[in-house]
Amino acid sequence: MSDRYSFLNSIQYIESLYDKYKKDPNLVEPSWSAFFHGFDFRKETYNEELKNNNVFNNKVKKEFSVLNLIHAYREKGHLFTNTNPIKEKRKYFPYLDFRNFGLSEKELDLCFEVGNLIGIGKTSLRNIIKYLKNIYCNSIGIEYMHISDSNKIEWIEKWFQREKFKFSTEEKKFFLKKLNEALSFENFIHTKFIGQKRFSIEGNESTLPALEEMIEYASNKYFTENFVIGMSHRGRLNLLSNFFHKDYHQIFSEFQGKEYEDKNFSGDVKYHLGFSKIRKSRKGQYVKLILVPNPSHLESVDSIVEGITRAKIDINYNKNIHSKKIIPVLIHGDAALSGQGIVYEVVQLSKLKGYSTGGTIHIVINNQIGFTTNYTEGRSSIYCTDIAKVILSPVLHVNADNIESVIKSVYFAVDFRMRYHEDIFIDLLGYRKYGHNEGDEPRFTQPTLYKVISKHTNSYKLYKNKLEKEGIINNNEVINMEKKYENDLLKGYNKAKNIKCNSFLELEEDEWKNFPIVSNDENIFKEVDTRLPIEKIVKISNKIFSIPKDKKFFRKTEYIFQKRMEMIHKNLLDWGMAELIAYGTILDEGNPIRLSGEDVARGTFSQRHAVIKTEEEEEIILLNQIRTGQAKIQVYNSPLSEYGVLGFDYGYAMFTPNVLTLWEAQFGDFVNGGQIIIDQYISSGENKWKIKNGIVLLLPHGYEGQGPEHSSARIERYLQLCANNNLFLVNCTTPSNFYHLLRRQLKLNYRKPLIVFTPKSLLRNKKCLSTIDNLSQDIFQEIFDDISVIDSNKIEKIIFCSGKIYYDLLNRKESIKDEKTALIRIEQIYPLRIEKIKKLLIKYKNKKEIFWVQEEPENMGLWSFILRKIGHIIPFKLISPSENSSPSTGSYQDFLKIQNKILVQSFL
């Protein structure tokens, strides 16, 4: 017998339970209590025999042999299931044959006490094996023995040991109806829109009734009212029509390729679009369904869904992550689940304080193929769901053709999620009827598989035959049901013919009703009043920079806050102070803040200290102690993830227009780890899907000789994404301008993502200071003129620049006592206020030379953008390092030479 089948690898575990039982039977779980009671009874019965022979010892050994058999079924039963509708299961050894456990056929009809452990009482080995096969080796395979919590294991076992769910006649008819809808919808499109992509759900039709039953079960049993759902394209159109109840004529009109009536938006292909709907369950409970838009980057939507869910938990459910009112649901493809790293990042967020959403239900539409790639080429793990074991989640592998097993797995998933508030995975093993899309030929690469699929009976016919045999339906009922649905589809199809242009359905929430989509320059460049009285600013500053005197802090912490108070008294503030004061004023005005990212609490450069710790590591957030009734800031150090966390915070901002949501990169260079979120959502979401979002990205940027990975946030990449006033790109050079920028983000009557290229060395640069007067009297400035110029007629040279290079140029200018050069800073890079630049050129009418100076290589930074935008009206000369494939040198000495060369050239 294999050691891996030994019960919990140690007899000591059972002995310890037995010792507890002898002290008090109530100290052990009831099934163990029943087992030990029988054990003691038999011990007394065989006491006499024990004196003469080893009968009793043999009986006990056999009991433990059966116990090992039970454990083997629990641990390995999922490997021997009937869960694959089109393929024979892979072979695993040793089998679960009772002979492998020291048992023989003559003992099949002997009764064993261990039957109590599986809830069927003392019974024969034959009955025990039959029972185990039914639970662990049927149409559902359960993986749960990797879970470390014994109470959780016990709960799972009890759940499956309960009496089978008995579905009513009406429920069975409903399941059949939904299977018919799933199949008929696909067949209808297949005949009406020949050759068009639809990414059919055929082969996993049971996904539709599964989702229907999920909202039915959760809303009626737990009063769930919100479901946030993310999925890629496979089956999306089917679910949009038959689950979300998007009108058929809208979908069919999209198949006809008509233009959108709103010409300001480019839109997206029909199987990427999102949708939201308030609809009733069958028993009359209202539920809100949200399907989040998703690009072709399959699993990218996962983190967005989690962020949206957390936002709703925080805003609508009092930050209760154990709320049963909302469930996030992620529908994966098997190849994407095992192949996409974002899945790992998202599951690692699931139990973290700042990112938990109370448990996600994961459903895998398992086609057993990825485009043309077999699973043996697509993963190294046994199952596509093995990622679940990272967070000790249970996994159910279910035969997608067995609709009642699918529904049972959904009930389990909801119950588990609601009890433990953790993730749960359902792996629906089906197939893909056609190729990756309906124009693809799968027999090029999988001829054998598709011979099997072409002959396979679909789940609707299988279930229809089952219900006919049970006498639940008759032929007339089936015909009427099929005709009715076909007529509904035809009505929608005919209605679609009369639609001239497609309408654009956006995810509109009540919170967004007062925030229009704005793209015209008039609104974009409208000045926003972000001023506050000095008294208010000082009062807030005193609150957030005064650490509690009754707490003991690290000496350097005390010093930092002492210096901050001294600066306030001197009417001065640095970058970190301006940021915190901005947050304080926003909170005081009633707007919450979420700040998330790697090391944001202290700040990568120890500049922030939004969260301070006592020597006993008690966390204190002074920003939350300004006044009674203020809004609160949440500050979360994230895991070392850009893709997952940035997506999460984008999702959070998607449904919280009145919250300042900020994500900070440890270094701006690292944000390219989340490039998919930037490309597919942040920059283009408004144009593709009419998604409004006000997320703020803080990206440390600046050349200080720290090498190629700690210099550039790749400004040029963002500028390539800018169009139609879709983003704000800002590189502030003063603390006060940064202060007003953050306040402006919430004062605007619309929302746009804001990308801020923040400083590193400037955090402690003695010239990079502002005054409290600047906070009180100024507003955000897109462009800074040279305030040192007294007589503009004397200016012969203009240098335009952006960001930290300004201070290097300023130092050079002052050191050589240059009075003929004006330094103009572009603070808001996009949208670029060209008219203001033109006015400055008129002001400096005696200029002879105009330069653009940057510390980034020629092929990077702002130069290409500036040349494209205003090169035709300004005869710029460029001063920058030569073009390079890497952002910066790795040598500090080389950096100094390059930087010095820029400065010397600028003032020749």
Side-chain angles (χ1 to χ4, degrees):
M1 183 175 64
S2 173
D3 286 343
R4 62 179 174 165
Y5 287 155
S6 61
F7 187 68
L8 298 180
N9 298 321
S10 178
I11 199 68
Q12 279 88 5
Y13 175 75
I14 300 171
E15 289 176 347
S16 66
L17 287 177
Y18 185 54
D19 289 339
K20 282 186 179 180
Y21 167 79
K22 285 192 292 185
K23 291 176 183 176
D24 182 356
N26 294 319
L27 293 177
V28 298
E29 191 273 326
S31 60
W32 278 109
S33 182
F35 171 65
F36 290 135
H37 175 74
F39 178 84
D40 285 346
F41 174 75
R42 295 187 72 174
K43 187 174 180 181
E44 293 171 9
T45 303
Y46 292 105
N47 191 43
E48 284 301 315
E49 296 180 58
L50 184 62
K51 295 177 182 177
N52 302 315
N53 54 52
N54 292 321
V55 173
F56 176 73
N57 283 343
N58 289 333
K59 293 283 185 182
V60 171
K61 286 180 181 178
K62 292 299 180 182
E63 288 280 0
F64 284 115
S65 294
V66 180
L67 196 60
N68 278 325
L69 176 66
I70 291 171
H71 180 67
Y73 268 93
R74 288 169 167 172
E75 187 177 40
K76 304 293 183 184
H78 59 89
L79 297 172
F80 304 95
T81 55
N82 179 30
T83 53
N84 198 321
I86 57 166
K87 293 179 183 176
E88 187 177 334
K89 284 284 279 189
R90 284 187 280 178
K91 303 297 183 184
Y92 295 95
F93 299 94
Y95 293 115
L96 293 176
D97 192 293
F98 60 90
R99 297 173 187 84
N100 292 329
F101 296 85
L103 299 164
S104 62
E105 290 187 8
K106 66 180 181 181
E107 286 148 343
L108 282 172
D109 295 311
L110 292 180
C111 291
F112 292 88
E113 295 288 344
V114 291
N116 287 296
L117 289 179
I118 54 176
I120 59 177
K122 179 182 176 181
T123 188
S124 68
L125 176 59
R126 192 184 302 277
N127 288 339
I128 289 172
I129 293 172
K130 181 180 178 183
Y131 184 81
L132 293 171
K133 283 183 176 179
N134 186 53
I135 289 183
Y136 296 105
C137 300
N138 209 325
S139 294
I140 299 178
I142 317 164
E143 280 192 282
Y144 68 103
M145 291 302 285
H146 55 277
I147 297 172
S148 58
D149 185 338
S150 59
N151 291 325
K152 202 176 293 180
I153 288 175
E154 181 185 321
W155 182 87
I156 293 170
E157 289 172 353
K158 280 188 173 181
W159 198 97
F160 280 97
Q161 286 167 197
R162 289 187 301 179
E163 187 178 354
K164 285 183 181 179
F165 284 96
K166 294 182 179 178
F167 299 108
S168 68
T169 296
E170 291 307 311
E171 286 174 324
K172 291 182 178 183
K173 287 182 177 180
F174 177 76
F175 302 157
L176 184 68
K177 175 177 176 288
K178 300 312 289 185
L179 288 174
N180 173 61
E181 290 175 6
L183 265 297
S184 297
F185 178 84
E186 301 293 355
N187 289 334
F188 187 86
I189 295 175
H190 197 63
T191 55
K192 296 295 184 183
F193 304 101
I194 297 171
Q196 285 209 41
K197 292 181 183 179
R198 68 178 192 273
F199 298 101
S200 162
I201 202 173
E202 291 164 283
N204 269 97
E205 307 87 358
S206 54
T207 307
L208 176 58
L211 287 175
E212 285 283 353
E213 209 57 19
M214 179 185 294
I215 66 168
E216 189 72 23
Y217 189 67
S219 64
N220 289 311
K221 184 173 181 179
Y222 298 104
F223 305 104
T224 307
E225 57 191 23
N226 263 287
F227 294 84
V228 184
I229 301 173
M231 68 180 299
S232 56
H233 42 267
R234 175 73 53 202
R236 192 181 190 92
L237 294 175
N238 206 310
L239 295 184
L240 276 169
S241 62
N242 293 318
F243 177 64
F244 291 94
H245 295 179
K246 181 176 179 178
D247 291 337
Y248 297 123
H249 70 268
Q250 290 176 327
I251 294 175
F252 295 150
S253 180
E254 289 163 1
F255 268 101
Q256 292 165 2
K258 298 170 184 175
E259 294 181 346
Y260 284 106
E261 59 188 2
D262 191 337
K263 300 297 187 292
N264 292 320
F265 300 93
S266 63
D268 200 353
V269 291
K270 51 193 169 292
Y271 39 80
H272 288 172
L273 300 178
F275 195 70
S276 60
K277 183 85 171 184
I278 295 176
R279 51 161 289 195
K280 277 185 177 182
S281 69
R282 298 199 304 280
K283 292 185 179 177
Q285 298 287 346
Y286 283 98
V287 293
K288 175 71 176 287
L289 305 177
I290 298 172
L291 179 65
V292 183
N294 189 56
S296 288
H297 298 70
L298 303 171
E299 297 290 334
S300 64
V301 75
D302 298 358
S303 57
I304 314 289
V305 166
E306 301 298 341
I308 292 171
T309 304
R310 180 57 182 257
K312 287 181 169 289
I313 288 171
D314 285 353
I315 302 301
N316 299 332
Y317 303 118
N318 198 31
K319 298 184 174 65
N320 178 17
I321 60 171
H322 290 162
S323 173
K324 296 179 180 178
K325 295 289 187 179
I326 186 167
I327 300 177
V329 181
L330 294 178
I331 303 174
H332 310 273
D334 54 310
L337 181 69
S338 55
Q340 299 284 300
I342 182 64
V343 179
Y344 178 85
E345 293 186 34
V346 170
V347 298
Q348 283 288 14
L349 295 176
S350 66
K351 297 182 182 181
L352 301 182
K353 180 174 63 173
Y355 307 90
S356 176
T357 55
T360 299
I361 295 178
H362 301 260
I363 299 175
V364 184
I365 296 180
N366 192 335
N367 303 144
Q368 307 186 64
I369 190 173
F371 203 154
T372 68
T373 304
N374 290 316
Y375 74 88
T376 53
E377 301 167 302
R379 65 177 186 266
S380 297
S381 58
I382 294 176
Y383 295 116
C384 64
T385 52
D386 281 346
I387 188 71
K389 294 173 185 175
V390 169
I391 52 172
L392 305 181
S393 292
V395 181
L396 303 185
H397 305 282
V398 192
N399 188 322
D401 275 356
N402 190 318
I403 180 61
E404 292 182 10
S405 290
V406 170
I407 301 303
K408 184 177 178 180
S409 71
V410 165
Y411 291 169
F412 171 81
V414 173
D415 283 344
F416 179 87
R417 191 269 180 188
M418 294 308 195
R419 182 176 180 87
Y420 293 105
H421 306 287
E422 295 180 3
D423 289 26
I424 166 71
F425 288 72
I426 300 174
D427 178 18
L428 293 180
L429 276 98
Y431 54 94
R432 190 185 67 194
K433 184 175 180 180
Y434 301 101
H436 177 65
N437 60 65
E438 287 64 35
D440 180 49
E441 177 51 82
R443 285 172 293 185
F444 281 138
T445 45
Q446 281 83 21
T448 304
L449 174 64
Y450 273 85
K451 280 181 184 177
V452 175
I453 290 173
S454 66
K455 298 174 184 177
H456 186 76
T457 305
N458 64 55
S459 61
Y460 170 65
K461 289 181 180 178
L462 289 172
Y463 197 54
K464 182 177 70 171
N465 294 338
K466 180 178 184 294
L467 297 191
E468 285 175 346
K469 289 178 182 177
E470 292 178 7
I472 288 176
I473 58 168
N474 57 53
N475 195 45
N476 289 333
E477 283 182 286
V478 172
I479 292 172
N480 290 336
M481 175 187 69
E482 293 174 348
K483 281 187 175 179
K484 182 182 182 306
Y485 184 67
E486 186 176 0
N487 287 335
D488 290 341
L489 293 175
L490 282 169
K491 286 177 185 177
Y493 179 73
N494 292 327
K495 187 175 180 180
K497 293 177 181 178
N498 299 319
I499 298 175
K500 293 182 179 179
C501 293
N502 290 328
S503 57
F504 206 114
L505 301 172
E506 54 190 293
L507 293 178
E508 191 62 68
E509 292 284 294
D510 291 340
E511 291 87 352
W512 285 96
K513 61 185 178 184
N514 296 321
F515 295 90
I517 290 179
V518 169
S519 59
N520 60 319
D521 286 353
E522 182 182 351
N523 281 319
I524 288 292
F525 292 122
K526 188 175 181 179
E527 291 186 344
V528 178
D529 188 356
T530 52
R531 295 171 296 180
L532 282 173
I534 286 180
E535 296 78 18
K536 171 69 78 173
I537 296 171
V538 171
K539 185 178 180 179
I540 290 172
S541 299
N542 287 334
K543 288 284 188 180
I544 65 176
F545 298 139
S546 299
I547 61 176
K549 290 184 171 53
D550 59 340
K551 306 281 186 182
K552 191 169 180 59
F553 294 91
F554 178 49
R555 182 174 52 82
K556 287 187 177 180
T557 303
E558 293 176 343
Y559 177 77
I560 288 169
F561 280 82
Q562 177 188 333
K563 286 297 180 184
R564 285 177 170 178
M565 286 305 301
E566 290 175 3
M567 288 183 71
I568 292 295
H569 293 148
K570 294 177 182 177
N571 192 25
L572 290 173
L573 48 103
D574 61 19
W575 191 278
M577 292 171 66
E579 178 186 7
L580 293 173
I581 295 171
Y583 296 156
T585 61
I586 290 168
L587 297 171
D588 185 66
E589 291 172 336
N591 292 103
I593 299 172
R594 176 186 169 89
L595 173 61
S596 163
E598 296 157 14
D599 313 295
V600 296
R602 190 186 74 181
T604 298
F605 313 103
S606 293
Q607 84 281 8
R608 182 173 290 123
H609 297 284
V611 180
I612 55 175
K613 289 188 177 183
T614 67
E615 288 195 346
E616 290 73 35
E617 296 205 11
E618 175 190 354
E619 289 191 351
I620 296 173
I621 301 179
L622 295 171
L623 284 162
N624 287 334
Q625 299 177 12
I626 297 170
R627 66 171 177 84
T628 303
Q630 67 165 90
K632 301 293 185 180
I633 185 172
Q634 300 180 75
V635 184
Y636 298 115
N637 284 341
S638 76
L640 200 64
S641 155
E642 288 83 33
Y643 190 178
V645 176
L646 177 55
F648 186 101
D649 287 318
Y650 175 82
Y652 193 96
M654 192 188 294
F655 281 85
T656 52
N658 294 307
V659 177
L660 182 65
T661 303
L662 307 103
W663 176 81
E664 182 174 63
Q666 190 177 66
F667 285 87
D669 319 54
F670 298 166
V671 75
N672 55 17
Q675 197 67 46
I676 288 172
I677 299 298
I678 294 164
D679 292 348
Q680 308 304 326
Y681 292 91
I682 292 175
S683 66
S684 59
E686 183 179 282
N687 197 23
K688 292 191 296 189
W689 307 315
K690 283 193 176 181
I691 285 179
K692 293 169 275 191
N693 199 293
I695 190 170
V696 180
L697 273 61
L698 305 178
L699 310 180
H701 173 87
Y703 283 60
E704 286 121 355
Q706 295 188 54
E709 272 72 61
H710 288 333
S711 296
S712 176
R714 303 280 192 172
I715 294 176
E716 64 280 355
R717 291 184 178 173
Y718 295 90
L719 290 168
Q720 289 178 338
L721 300 173
C722 289
N724 312 117
N725 293 330
N726 61 328
L727 301 172
F728 285 116
L729 265 61
V730 179
N731 195 352
C732 293
T733 55
T734 70
S736 61
N737 218 30
F738 183 49
Y739 164 91
H740 290 293
L741 174 68
L742 293 175
R743 286 181 52 75
R744 184 187 75 164
Q745 186 70 358
L746 283 185
K747 294 288 183 182
L748 292 166
N749 67 346
Y750 58 89
R751 294 289 179 263
K752 300 279 182 181
L754 167 62
I755 319 296
V756 188
F757 301 97
T758 58
K760 294 174 287 185
S761 63
L762 296 189
L763 295 172
R764 292 172 177 82
N765 188 305
K766 297 301 181 184
K767 288 187 176 178
C768 188
L769 297 173
S770 298
T771 66
I772 298 176
D773 295 328
N774 295 139
L775 304 191
S776 176
Q777 298 169 16
D778 298 344
I779 61 172
F780 177 73
Q781 299 293 318
E782 292 108 337
I783 299 171
F784 276 135
D785 191 6
D786 193 330
I787 59 174
S788 68
V789 173
I790 298 173
D791 184 356
S792 61
N793 292 320
K794 292 182 179 179
I795 297 301
E796 298 179 1
K797 179 192 294 183
I798 298 177
I799 291 178
F800 284 88
C801 63
S802 184
K804 169 242 167 192
I805 190 71
Y806 162 75
Y807 287 97
D808 297 332
L809 292 166
L810 179 61
N811 289 338
R812 178 72 179 180
K813 178 183 175 181
E814 291 176 348
S815 69
I816 63 174
K817 296 181 172 54
D818 181 295
E819 295 182 353
K820 297 181 179 180
T821 301
L823 300 178
I824 298 176
R825 288 169 276 172
I826 307 294
E827 298 279 293
Q828 182 170 292
I829 304 163
Y830 187 86
L832 184 62
R833 198 158 190 173
I834 297 174
E835 292 303 315
K836 190 168 183 177
I837 294 174
K838 289 180 179 178
K839 288 179 181 178
L840 288 172
L841 292 175
I842 294 171
K843 173 184 175 182
Y844 297 113
K845 57 187 177 183
N846 294 327
K847 62 196 177 289
K848 296 177 182 176
E849 293 181 300
I850 304 174
F851 290 91
W852 177 264
V853 179
Q854 66 180 39
E855 56 188 352
E856 300 88 354
E858 179 183 349
N859 57 317
M860 299 179 189
L862 277 67
W863 171 238
S864 297
F865 171 78
I866 290 294
L867 198 62
R868 179 167 64 88
K869 282 291 184 182
I870 54 177
H872 61 289
I873 59 174
I874 302 176
F876 279 115
K877 296 178 182 178
L878 173 67
I879 297 176
S880 77
S882 302
E883 66 176 25
N884 204 331
S885 59
S886 177
S888 173
T889 176
S891 164
Y892 186 70
Q893 293 301 319
D894 282 349
F895 160 75
L896 291 176
K897 290 179 183 178
I898 293 168
Q899 199 80 346
N900 187 60
K901 183 179 179 181
I902 295 171
L903 299 176
V904 170
Q905 285 182 326
S906 298
F907 291 95
L908 286 176

